[in-house]
Amino acid sequence: MKNTIADRVYDFLKKYPPFDIINKEDLVSIAENVIIVYLEKGKVLFKNDDTKHDHFYLVKEGGVVLKKNELADAEIIDICDEGDVFGLRPLITNDSYMMTAIAEEEALVYGIPIDVFKPIIEKEHNVGLYLIESFTSKTKNPFSKKFAQDFYQDSPANLKSEDLEELQTIKYSKDPICISMDDLAIKAANRMTDYKVSSLIVVDENKLPIGMVTDKDFRKKVVTGLYSSKVPVKEIMNFPVNTYKKNLTVTEAQLALVQNQSGHLVITEDGTDQTKAIGILTNHDIVVSQGNSASGLMKAIRRAKQPKELRKIRQQIAQLLKGYFFQSIPLHIITQIIHELTEAINIRAIEIALQKMPQRPPVKFAWLSLGSHGRKEQLLVTDQDNALVFEDVPEEKYESVKKYFTILSNRVNTILNKVGYEFCPADMMARNPKWCQSLTEWKTQFSHWIHNVETEDILYSSIFFDFNRTYGDKELVQELAHSIFSATDYNPMFFTLMSRSALQNPSPLGFFKQFLVEQDGEHKDLFDIKARALMPLTDMARILILSHKVKSINNTAERYEKLAELEPNNKDFYLACSYAAKSLIKFRTKHGLIHHDSGRYIKLNELTKEEKMKLKRCFKTISELQEIIKLRFKVTQLL
Amino acid sequence: MFNWFQKKKIEYPQFWIDYKSHFQEEDLKIPLKDVTFVVLDTETTGFSYEDDRMLCIGAIKAKENIIDLKSSFEIYIKQEAFNPESVEIHGLMKNHNYETVSEIDALKMFLAYVENAIIVAHHTNFDITMINKALERNGLPLLLNRTLDTAYLFKKTKAINTLLKNDRGYSLDEVCKELNIPIKDRHTAAGDAMLTAQAFLKTLARLNFKQNSTLKSLLRK
């Protein structure tokens, strides 16, 4: 029988995930059973604590906002527009709703009946996985695996073995560090320190493993005075050694570690102690294998001796980022982890450079990261932006001190370049003598930027205002920050001019609500998400936060969250800005990961309708913000 | 003796008796949110009540603010009268490949579907008259349902202003455009019924009924 209405519903559903991967027959039966709910603006579809509905929902037209509860100032969890699914809880658990869905504007939503849909997820795993991701991204609950189990508890047979990490072979440290059994304990301790390892394999004259020494042995046996540090290691080693074959699975390794309680397993060529040791496996390797490889990378960074090792790690970080990203781990957690790792790479680069300097630094100094790294927003590899500040020195020493730090900076910049961070095209790097200055020089520089504002200076100063100490002396940096804030105090003109500069990029949407694309050059017809959307949002956050004299928050989304706290009247608006900042960064990162570039230029025809709408929503917030800035800092007088 | 003045009692078929049984007592105090509306549209061979015939009835039920797709009704009627001029409007050809039913079967199915719901259509009078003419032809009484017209209700949402000349009839296209309803499947009975249903819900919201309004307050509009 012909069903024109259901056919239209079908046409709509099949455009959006997860319905796009459901087979036609099933999708038709879903379409025939959909309910269409009309919501006038402000109408509540379900409330926190309401018992579950028989449907979950998909926005057909308009917008639905998900909040913690129905109070006007409740925290916004998500805003859904055309094609977004929400209200998934009844599909997954029997609990009441944990959030409230309100029509933000007049809306039509499709209610998808749970009883028709459930058999389909049991057949189509990808459909279920998409919904779990969607669900967890809204509940802010990263423990999606738990829900995956709930989802599929009746059908474990469907799980593929490659999904179960317990059955994967474990990775262990190859080329283990060994020591001969007759070497002295102190030599073993030194070797462990040099290689930054917590254990050594003790070998006999035939290089076969006979025992192990660990940190613990030194603590228990040597430091306590039980043995002298001059005894041969065989006196203090653990033996016999537990040897295992390679290709252990994660589960086997775990079991072995529990059984012999040593915390270390020796891997030999054939699994017996009659062949040479080829690797060592610790509890740590198991932790790493269980997906928490951020800690593994962190350790590797600290041990790295060469820029090329750091480069390799940087590439692994990119892999990790990709993994996190497509597992829908909340963005603030991803940025935090990636920032810590990036920071560690920078610190290690500075340490390596310092080791190569003929002398130790003559005075205290600090290494400053600027721009996106300073704002803790760097996810993809970008240009270097950094600077160096050193302690004030008497005039006669100045030349030599400055020379020392310029050479050091040059080395750090070169190492970072080898790691994969391109040189800054505008040479905003510490190796540039202009950006490697004493504290007093910096203070003068900032004061100049603030009091004699010129257009080019604004561009410089804006990235310098987001500085963050990566390495070196804390007090130097605090003093510099303090002097900047007191200088901005009596200078409304500074804010006006900063605002004017921030407003120079027009709103990302043109008159006909079309995306403004680049007119010419290499990126013609592409949308520049950095210049059009992220930069204005970042610049405006900086101006507002500086005007409130808030130090120490550099991250754009966090700045807006702070502003929401400082200006309760504008709370909702600032939270929308924070949301926009997060989703734009996410957007850029996603495109960067897909195209292996910085994600800055976006091809509009590659965007789905859904993505375009998400972007437009962010842009609306930006335009509103631009209006606020214009009024607040009296920019119109200048325009 | 044979009584000439006693009206001959007509025996109606069972489906009409079943339909009529839904109208025993009418409660106008029923809250609006509990009222079932059947939003419908018909496609006909033309605009003459006498010469033209229904080709299709499309309808859907709306209750509270929900349209349930399971309640959609779409029936194509086999007709001998055929007007080539109307084909251009709705594209229903006489020798189409849809499954069709006889007029009497269509009426039977429709009455079982509509029960005592409030019938809503755009320019309701036309669709109701077309159905009533078909009932008449088949020896049945007229529809008993109360009716609402979205063209009329929509006009009620407007402040009538002689300068704007907005005291006039509004076509379904105009209504959809003003209410931001994307137009799809225009000139198919089911498609138009769906558009009308959306227009009806949106219009209802704009008429600002109080929380506990009853059917009576809507019918009084």
Side-chain angles (χ1 to χ4, degrees), chain A residues 114-153:
Chain A
I114 307 278
D115 55 347
V116 179
F117 199 75
K118 261 212 160 143
I120 292 165
I121 350 179
E122 272 147 31
K123 275 195 302 196
E124 299 270 355
H125 269 232
N126 289 338
V127 174
L129 290 175
Y130 175 84
L131 291 173
I132 290 169
E133 279 185 10
S134 177
F135 176 70
T136 49
S137 72
K138 288 184 177 70
T139 49
K140 297 185 175 169
N141 184 344
F143 306 114
S144 58
K145 279 210 174 128
K146 179 182 168 297
F147 290 109
Q149 280 165 10
D150 290 349
F151 242 49
Y152 295 125
Q153 53 192 358

mmCIF file of all heavy atoms in Angstrom, chain A residues 114-153:
data_model
loop_
_atom_site.group_PDB
_atom_site.id
_atom_site.type_symbol
_atom_site.label_atom_id
_atom_site.label_comp_id
_atom_site.label_asym_id
_atom_site.label_seq_id
_atom_site.Cartn_x
_atom_site.Cartn_y
_atom_site.Cartn_z
ATOM 1 N N ILE A 114 11.080 2.999 20.313
ATOM 2 C CA ILE A 114 12.135 2.138 20.850
ATOM 3 C C ILE A 114 11.891 0.674 20.472
ATOM 4 O O ILE A 114 12.811 -0.026 20.078
ATOM 5 C CB ILE A 114 12.161 2.243 22.394
ATOM 6 C CG1 ILE A 114 12.262 3.689 22.839
ATOM 7 C CG2 ILE A 114 13.233 1.357 22.994
ATOM 8 C CD1 ILE A 114 13.606 4.294 22.845
ATOM 9 N N ASP A 115 10.635 0.226 20.556
ATOM 10 C CA ASP A 115 10.397 -1.203 20.320
ATOM 11 C C ASP A 115 10.662 -1.606 18.871
ATOM 12 O O ASP A 115 11.047 -2.736 18.606
ATOM 13 C CB ASP A 115 8.977 -1.611 20.778
ATOM 14 C CG ASP A 115 7.902 -0.755 20.124
ATOM 15 O OD1 ASP A 115 8.264 0.289 19.539
ATOM 16 O OD2 ASP A 115 6.719 -1.106 20.180
ATOM 17 N N VAL A 116 10.494 -0.677 17.936
ATOM 18 C CA VAL A 116 10.807 -1.000 16.550
ATOM 19 C C VAL A 116 12.312 -0.916 16.317
ATOM 20 O O VAL A 116 12.896 -1.642 15.520
ATOM 21 C CB VAL A 116 10.099 -0.019 15.577
ATOM 22 C CG1 VAL A 116 10.436 -0.337 14.132
ATOM 23 C CG2 VAL A 116 8.598 -0.051 15.798
ATOM 24 N N PHE A 117 12.945 -0.010 17.052
ATOM 25 C CA PHE A 117 14.351 0.281 16.777
ATOM 26 C C PHE A 117 15.300 -0.730 17.416
ATOM 27 O O PHE A 117 16.333 -1.055 16.861
ATOM 28 C CB PHE A 117 14.676 1.686 17.276
ATOM 29 C CG PHE A 117 15.914 2.244 16.667
ATOM 30 C CD1 PHE A 117 15.906 2.699 15.360
ATOM 31 C CD2 PHE A 117 17.096 2.286 17.381
ATOM 32 C CE1 PHE A 117 17.051 3.189 14.776
ATOM 33 C CE2 PHE A 117 18.244 2.784 16.805
ATOM 34 C CZ PHE A 117 18.218 3.237 15.500
ATOM 35 N N LYS A 118 14.933 -1.214 18.596
ATOM 36 C CA LYS A 118 15.859 -2.085 19.341
ATOM 37 C C LYS A 118 16.328 -3.308 18.558
ATOM 38 O O LYS A 118 17.529 -3.583 18.540
ATOM 39 C CB LYS A 118 15.239 -2.501 20.671
ATOM 40 C CG LYS A 118 15.777 -1.639 21.804
ATOM 41 C CD LYS A 118 15.863 -2.412 23.102
ATOM 42 C CE LYS A 118 16.821 -1.712 24.046
ATOM 43 N NZ LYS A 118 16.386 -1.782 25.437
ATOM 44 N N PRO A 119 15.414 -4.029 17.890
ATOM 45 C CA PRO A 119 15.887 -5.197 17.134
ATOM 46 C C PRO A 119 16.914 -4.811 16.070
ATOM 47 O O PRO A 119 17.803 -5.597 15.737
ATOM 48 C CB PRO A 119 14.615 -5.732 16.462
ATOM 49 C CG PRO A 119 13.483 -5.124 17.195
ATOM 50 C CD PRO A 119 13.968 -3.866 17.834
ATOM 51 N N ILE A 120 16.826 -3.578 15.570
ATOM 52 C CA ILE A 120 17.745 -3.158 14.513
ATOM 53 C C ILE A 120 19.147 -2.938 15.071
ATOM 54 O O ILE A 120 20.132 -3.330 14.460
ATOM 55 C CB ILE A 120 17.205 -1.904 13.806
ATOM 56 C CG1 ILE A 120 15.946 -2.305 13.032
ATOM 57 C CG2 ILE A 120 18.252 -1.301 12.881
ATOM 58 C CD1 ILE A 120 15.109 -1.173 12.573
ATOM 59 N N ILE A 121 19.233 -2.340 16.259
ATOM 60 C CA ILE A 121 20.591 -2.158 16.806
ATOM 61 C C ILE A 121 21.221 -3.491 17.113
ATOM 62 O O ILE A 121 22.422 -3.638 17.055
ATOM 63 C CB ILE A 121 20.658 -1.396 18.162
ATOM 64 C CG1 ILE A 121 19.356 -0.769 18.544
ATOM 65 C CG2 ILE A 121 21.774 -0.395 18.145
ATOM 66 C CD1 ILE A 121 19.473 -0.067 19.884
ATOM 67 N N GLU A 122 20.410 -4.466 17.474
ATOM 68 C CA GLU A 122 21.008 -5.756 17.771
ATOM 69 C C GLU A 122 21.611 -6.378 16.515
ATOM 70 O O GLU A 122 22.594 -7.088 16.574
ATOM 71 C CB GLU A 122 19.984 -6.686 18.435
ATOM 72 C CG GLU A 122 20.014 -6.459 19.951
ATOM 73 C CD GLU A 122 18.678 -6.631 20.645
ATOM 74 O OE1 GLU A 122 17.865 -7.442 20.163
ATOM 75 O OE2 GLU A 122 18.459 -5.929 21.657
ATOM 76 N N LYS A 123 21.026 -6.047 15.370
ATOM 77 C CA LYS A 123 21.569 -6.549 14.109
ATOM 78 C C LYS A 123 22.760 -5.719 13.641
ATOM 79 O O LYS A 123 23.736 -6.228 13.153
ATOM 80 C CB LYS A 123 20.494 -6.474 13.003
ATOM 81 C CG LYS A 123 19.579 -7.656 12.960
ATOM 82 C CD LYS A 123 18.797 -7.695 11.643
ATOM 83 C CE LYS A 123 18.000 -6.450 11.447
ATOM 84 N NZ LYS A 123 16.949 -6.539 10.424
ATOM 85 N N GLU A 124 22.618 -4.406 13.762
ATOM 86 C CA GLU A 124 23.604 -3.490 13.174
ATOM 87 C C GLU A 124 24.429 -2.844 14.270
ATOM 88 O O GLU A 124 23.985 -1.877 14.889
ATOM 89 C CB GLU A 124 22.884 -2.380 12.393
ATOM 90 C CG GLU A 124 22.043 -2.888 11.262
ATOM 91 C CD GLU A 124 22.834 -2.981 9.975
ATOM 92 O OE1 GLU A 124 24.009 -2.561 9.960
ATOM 93 O OE2 GLU A 124 22.263 -3.462 8.989
ATOM 94 N N HIS A 125 25.626 -3.378 14.485
ATOM 95 C CA HIS A 125 26.438 -2.838 15.569
ATOM 96 C C HIS A 125 26.815 -1.382 15.395
ATOM 97 O O HIS A 125 26.886 -0.622 16.333
ATOM 98 C CB HIS A 125 27.677 -3.697 15.759
ATOM 99 C CG HIS A 125 27.435 -4.758 16.754
ATOM 100 N ND1 HIS A 125 28.246 -4.979 17.826
ATOM 101 C CD2 HIS A 125 26.411 -5.631 16.844
ATOM 102 C CE1 HIS A 125 27.752 -5.966 18.536
ATOM 103 N NE2 HIS A 125 26.644 -6.389 17.964
ATOM 104 N N ASN A 126 27.089 -1.006 14.126
ATOM 105 C CA ASN A 126 27.530 0.371 13.910
ATOM 106 C C ASN A 126 26.473 1.376 14.313
ATOM 107 O O ASN A 126 26.774 2.462 14.778
ATOM 108 C CB ASN A 126 27.876 0.576 12.439
ATOM 109 C CG ASN A 126 29.146 -0.153 12.099
ATOM 110 O OD1 ASN A 126 29.936 -0.428 13.003
ATOM 111 N ND2 ASN A 126 29.328 -0.467 10.840
ATOM 112 N N VAL A 127 25.207 0.992 14.113
ATOM 113 C CA VAL A 127 24.121 1.878 14.500
ATOM 114 C C VAL A 127 24.168 2.096 16.004
ATOM 115 O O VAL A 127 24.116 3.225 16.505
ATOM 116 C CB VAL A 127 22.765 1.269 14.085
ATOM 117 C CG1 VAL A 127 21.627 2.111 14.610
ATOM 118 C CG2 VAL A 127 22.690 1.130 12.575
ATOM 119 N N GLY A 128 24.318 1.006 16.722
ATOM 120 C CA GLY A 128 24.378 1.092 18.177
ATOM 121 C C GLY A 128 25.561 1.912 18.631
ATOM 122 O O GLY A 128 25.440 2.768 19.508
ATOM 123 N N LEU A 129 26.719 1.686 17.996
ATOM 124 C CA LEU A 129 27.919 2.406 18.419
ATOM 125 C C LEU A 129 27.754 3.904 18.200
ATOM 126 O O LEU A 129 28.146 4.715 19.027
ATOM 127 C CB LEU A 129 29.144 1.880 17.671
ATOM 128 C CG LEU A 129 29.534 0.457 18.109
ATOM 129 C CD1 LEU A 129 30.674 -0.071 17.263
ATOM 130 C CD2 LEU A 129 29.912 0.438 19.581
ATOM 131 N N TYR A 130 27.131 4.252 17.076
ATOM 132 C CA TYR A 130 26.917 5.682 16.829
ATOM 133 C C TYR A 130 26.054 6.281 17.929
ATOM 134 O O TYR A 130 26.348 7.343 18.461
ATOM 135 C CB TYR A 130 26.236 5.907 15.469
ATOM 136 C CG TYR A 130 25.888 7.362 15.239
ATOM 137 C CD1 TYR A 130 26.843 8.240 14.734
ATOM 138 C CD2 TYR A 130 24.637 7.869 15.584
ATOM 139 C CE1 TYR A 130 26.551 9.570 14.561
ATOM 140 C CE2 TYR A 130 24.334 9.204 15.424
ATOM 141 C CZ TYR A 130 25.297 10.049 14.897
ATOM 142 O OH TYR A 130 25.002 11.377 14.749
ATOM 143 N N LEU A 131 25.003 5.569 18.270
ATOM 144 C CA LEU A 131 24.093 6.102 19.289
ATOM 145 C C LEU A 131 24.771 6.168 20.654
ATOM 146 O O LEU A 131 24.548 7.099 21.410
ATOM 147 C CB LEU A 131 22.820 5.265 19.344
ATOM 148 C CG LEU A 131 21.944 5.406 18.093
ATOM 149 C CD1 LEU A 131 20.789 4.435 18.140
ATOM 150 C CD2 LEU A 131 21.430 6.830 17.945
ATOM 151 N N ILE A 132 25.610 5.182 20.944
ATOM 152 C CA ILE A 132 26.319 5.237 22.224
ATOM 153 C C ILE A 132 27.219 6.457 22.274
ATOM 154 O O ILE A 132 27.264 7.187 23.249
ATOM 155 C CB ILE A 132 27.162 3.964 22.446
ATOM 156 C CG1 ILE A 132 26.229 2.795 22.705
ATOM 157 C CG2 ILE A 132 28.102 4.125 23.633
ATOM 158 C CD1 ILE A 132 26.916 1.457 22.686
ATOM 159 N N GLU A 133 27.920 6.685 21.147
ATOM 160 C CA GLU A 133 28.786 7.870 21.116
ATOM 161 C C GLU A 133 27.973 9.128 21.316
ATOM 162 O O GLU A 133 28.334 10.010 22.081
ATOM 163 C CB GLU A 133 29.528 7.950 19.785
ATOM 164 C CG GLU A 133 30.726 7.054 19.769
ATOM 165 C CD GLU A 133 31.528 7.210 18.499
ATOM 166 O OE1 GLU A 133 31.244 8.150 17.731
ATOM 167 O OE2 GLU A 133 32.423 6.403 18.288
ATOM 168 N N SER A 134 26.860 9.180 20.616
ATOM 169 C CA SER A 134 26.018 10.352 20.718
ATOM 170 C C SER A 134 25.520 10.510 22.151
ATOM 171 O O SER A 134 25.531 11.585 22.722
ATOM 172 C CB SER A 134 24.850 10.191 19.749
ATOM 173 O OG SER A 134 23.980 11.254 19.868
ATOM 174 N N PHE A 135 25.125 9.403 22.736
ATOM 175 C CA PHE A 135 24.604 9.421 24.099
ATOM 176 C C PHE A 135 25.670 9.883 25.083
ATOM 177 O O PHE A 135 25.454 10.776 25.885
ATOM 178 C CB PHE A 135 24.126 8.016 24.460
ATOM 179 C CG PHE A 135 23.644 7.877 25.874
ATOM 180 C CD1 PHE A 135 22.458 8.487 26.268
ATOM 181 C CD2 PHE A 135 24.356 7.146 26.808
ATOM 182 C CE1 PHE A 135 21.995 8.352 27.562
ATOM 183 C CE2 PHE A 135 23.898 7.018 28.103
ATOM 184 C CZ PHE A 135 22.721 7.625 28.490
ATOM 185 N N THR A 136 26.860 9.279 24.984
ATOM 186 C CA THR A 136 27.884 9.618 25.959
ATOM 187 C C THR A 136 28.406 11.027 25.745
ATOM 188 O O THR A 136 28.787 11.683 26.689
ATOM 189 C CB THR A 136 29.071 8.636 25.910
ATOM 190 O OG1 THR A 136 29.457 8.510 24.555
ATOM 191 C CG2 THR A 136 28.660 7.299 26.448
ATOM 192 N N SER A 137 28.376 11.511 24.508
ATOM 193 C CA SER A 137 28.868 12.870 24.314
ATOM 194 C C SER A 137 27.922 13.854 24.982
ATOM 195 O O SER A 137 28.305 14.940 25.367
ATOM 196 C CB SER A 137 29.022 13.188 22.821
ATOM 197 O OG SER A 137 27.750 13.343 22.249
ATOM 198 N N LYS A 138 26.685 13.469 25.157
ATOM 199 C CA LYS A 138 25.746 14.362 25.817
ATOM 200 C C LYS A 138 25.728 14.161 27.322
ATOM 201 O O LYS A 138 25.478 15.081 28.073
ATOM 202 C CB LYS A 138 24.343 14.172 25.241
ATOM 203 C CG LYS A 138 24.231 14.730 23.835
ATOM 204 C CD LYS A 138 22.826 14.634 23.321
ATOM 205 C CE LYS A 138 22.679 15.260 21.958
ATOM 206 N NZ LYS A 138 23.344 14.485 20.907
ATOM 207 N N THR A 139 25.964 12.926 27.768
ATOM 208 C CA THR A 139 25.954 12.728 29.214
ATOM 209 C C THR A 139 27.301 13.100 29.822
ATOM 210 O O THR A 139 27.456 13.078 31.025
ATOM 211 C CB THR A 139 25.694 11.257 29.589
ATOM 212 O OG1 THR A 139 26.580 10.469 28.823
ATOM 213 C CG2 THR A 139 24.271 10.853 29.318
ATOM 214 N N LYS A 140 28.267 13.448 28.973
ATOM 215 C CA LYS A 140 29.623 13.762 29.441
ATOM 216 C C LYS A 140 30.201 12.587 30.208
ATOM 217 O O LYS A 140 30.918 12.753 31.170
ATOM 218 C CB LYS A 140 29.618 15.001 30.347
ATOM 219 C CG LYS A 140 29.174 16.245 29.626
ATOM 220 C CD LYS A 140 29.318 17.417 30.554
ATOM 221 C CE LYS A 140 28.999 18.692 29.820
ATOM 222 N NZ LYS A 140 28.878 19.813 30.707
ATOM 223 N N ASN A 141 29.828 11.414 29.847
ATOM 224 C CA ASN A 141 30.291 10.258 30.565
ATOM 225 C C ASN A 141 31.164 9.426 29.648
ATOM 226 O O ASN A 141 30.691 8.841 28.691
ATOM 227 C CB ASN A 141 29.083 9.441 31.013
ATOM 228 C CG ASN A 141 29.505 8.266 31.841
ATOM 229 O OD1 ASN A 141 30.674 7.884 31.858
ATOM 230 N ND2 ASN A 141 28.558 7.686 32.541
ATOM 231 N N PRO A 142 32.458 9.402 29.925
ATOM 232 C CA PRO A 142 33.347 8.709 29.003
ATOM 233 C C PRO A 142 33.274 7.184 29.117
ATOM 234 O O PRO A 142 33.885 6.491 28.347
ATOM 235 C CB PRO A 142 34.725 9.213 29.392
ATOM 236 C CG PRO A 142 34.605 9.585 30.824
ATOM 237 C CD PRO A 142 33.175 9.981 31.049
ATOM 238 N N PHE A 143 32.514 6.660 30.063
ATOM 239 C CA PHE A 143 32.545 5.212 30.259
ATOM 240 C C PHE A 143 31.602 4.504 29.304
ATOM 241 O O PHE A 143 30.730 3.745 29.683
ATOM 242 C CB PHE A 143 32.208 4.870 31.703
ATOM 243 C CG PHE A 143 33.080 5.588 32.671
ATOM 244 C CD1 PHE A 143 32.565 6.529 33.533
ATOM 245 C CD2 PHE A 143 34.451 5.349 32.680
ATOM 246 C CE1 PHE A 143 33.387 7.206 34.402
ATOM 247 C CE2 PHE A 143 35.274 6.024 33.548
ATOM 248 C CZ PHE A 143 34.749 6.956 34.411
ATOM 249 N N SER A 144 31.795 4.803 28.027
ATOM 250 C CA SER A 144 30.846 4.292 27.045
ATOM 251 C C SER A 144 30.865 2.778 26.985
ATOM 252 O O SER A 144 29.891 2.163 26.621
ATOM 253 C CB SER A 144 31.157 4.874 25.682
ATOM 254 O OG SER A 144 32.458 4.558 25.333
ATOM 255 N N LYS A 145 31.967 2.187 27.363
ATOM 256 C CA LYS A 145 32.064 0.731 27.265
ATOM 257 C C LYS A 145 30.996 0.056 28.098
ATOM 258 O O LYS A 145 30.435 -0.948 27.717
ATOM 259 C CB LYS A 145 33.442 0.269 27.732
ATOM 260 C CG LYS A 145 34.446 0.444 26.645
ATOM 261 C CD LYS A 145 35.539 -0.572 26.749
ATOM 262 C CE LYS A 145 36.420 -0.438 25.544
ATOM 263 N NZ LYS A 145 37.805 -0.309 25.882
ATOM 264 N N LYS A 146 30.725 0.643 29.242
ATOM 265 C CA LYS A 146 29.719 0.080 30.116
ATOM 266 C C LYS A 146 28.391 0.020 29.366
ATOM 267 O O LYS A 146 27.684 -0.979 29.408
ATOM 268 C CB LYS A 146 29.588 0.943 31.370
ATOM 269 C CG LYS A 146 28.533 0.424 32.311
ATOM 270 C CD LYS A 146 28.406 1.325 33.519
ATOM 271 C CE LYS A 146 27.183 1.003 34.336
ATOM 272 N NZ LYS A 146 25.944 1.209 33.657
ATOM 273 N N PHE A 147 28.105 1.099 28.648
ATOM 274 C CA PHE A 147 26.837 1.120 27.940
ATOM 275 C C PHE A 147 26.862 0.161 26.759
ATOM 276 O O PHE A 147 25.858 -0.427 26.421
ATOM 277 C CB PHE A 147 26.505 2.540 27.493
ATOM 278 C CG PHE A 147 26.157 3.418 28.658
ATOM 279 C CD1 PHE A 147 27.011 4.408 29.075
ATOM 280 C CD2 PHE A 147 24.973 3.217 29.348
ATOM 281 C CE1 PHE A 147 26.684 5.191 30.159
ATOM 282 C CE2 PHE A 147 24.647 3.997 30.432
ATOM 283 C CZ PHE A 147 25.503 4.985 30.840
ATOM 284 N N ALA A 148 28.040 0.025 26.174
ATOM 285 C CA ALA A 148 28.145 -0.914 25.065
ATOM 286 C C ALA A 148 27.800 -2.308 25.558
ATOM 287 O O ALA A 148 27.109 -3.065 24.895
ATOM 288 C CB ALA A 148 29.552 -0.887 24.490
ATOM 289 N N GLN A 149 28.250 -2.621 26.777
ATOM 290 C CA GLN A 149 27.925 -3.938 27.320
ATOM 291 C C GLN A 149 26.430 -4.068 27.545
ATOM 292 O O GLN A 149 25.819 -5.068 27.221
ATOM 293 C CB GLN A 149 28.665 -4.161 28.637
ATOM 294 C CG GLN A 149 30.109 -4.570 28.420
ATOM 295 C CD GLN A 149 30.916 -4.422 29.689
ATOM 296 O OE1 GLN A 149 30.362 -4.193 30.756
ATOM 297 N NE2 GLN A 149 32.207 -4.534 29.567
ATOM 298 N N ASP A 150 25.844 -3.016 28.109
ATOM 299 C CA ASP A 150 24.407 -3.064 28.352
ATOM 300 C C ASP A 150 23.649 -3.269 27.052
ATOM 301 O O ASP A 150 22.647 -3.957 26.989
ATOM 302 C CB ASP A 150 23.923 -1.763 29.008
ATOM 303 C CG ASP A 150 24.426 -1.659 30.433
ATOM 304 O OD1 ASP A 150 24.948 -2.672 30.938
ATOM 305 O OD2 ASP A 150 24.294 -0.582 31.024
ATOM 306 N N PHE A 151 24.166 -2.623 26.037
ATOM 307 C CA PHE A 151 23.542 -2.691 24.732
ATOM 308 C C PHE A 151 23.557 -4.108 24.187
ATOM 309 O O PHE A 151 22.595 -4.585 23.628
ATOM 310 C CB PHE A 151 24.371 -1.817 23.775
ATOM 311 C CG PHE A 151 23.612 -0.691 23.212
ATOM 312 C CD1 PHE A 151 22.877 0.133 24.035
ATOM 313 C CD2 PHE A 151 23.633 -0.440 21.858
ATOM 314 C CE1 PHE A 151 22.191 1.196 23.507
ATOM 315 C CE2 PHE A 151 22.947 0.621 21.332
ATOM 316 C CZ PHE A 151 22.229 1.444 22.155
ATOM 317 N N TYR A 152 24.711 -4.731 24.338
ATOM 318 C CA TYR A 152 24.913 -5.984 23.618
ATOM 319 C C TYR A 152 25.035 -7.159 24.562
ATOM 320 O O TYR A 152 25.621 -8.159 24.229
ATOM 321 C CB TYR A 152 26.163 -5.871 22.748
ATOM 322 C CG TYR A 152 25.994 -4.838 21.681
ATOM 323 C CD1 TYR A 152 26.884 -3.799 21.541
ATOM 324 C CD2 TYR A 152 24.901 -4.915 20.817
ATOM 325 C CE1 TYR A 152 26.698 -2.842 20.566
ATOM 326 C CE2 TYR A 152 24.721 -3.962 19.845
ATOM 327 C CZ TYR A 152 25.611 -2.938 19.716
ATOM 328 O OH TYR A 152 25.428 -1.998 18.746
ATOM 329 N N GLN A 153 24.478 -7.043 25.753
ATOM 330 C CA GLN A 153 24.730 -8.109 26.705
ATOM 331 C C GLN A 153 24.175 -9.453 26.238
ATOM 332 O O GLN A 153 24.656 -10.489 26.612
ATOM 333 C CB GLN A 153 24.196 -7.756 28.084
ATOM 334 C CG GLN A 153 22.747 -7.343 28.108
ATOM 335 C CD GLN A 153 22.373 -6.727 29.426
ATOM 336 O OE1 GLN A 153 23.198 -6.660 30.315
ATOM 337 N NE2 GLN A 153 21.154 -6.276 29.550
#
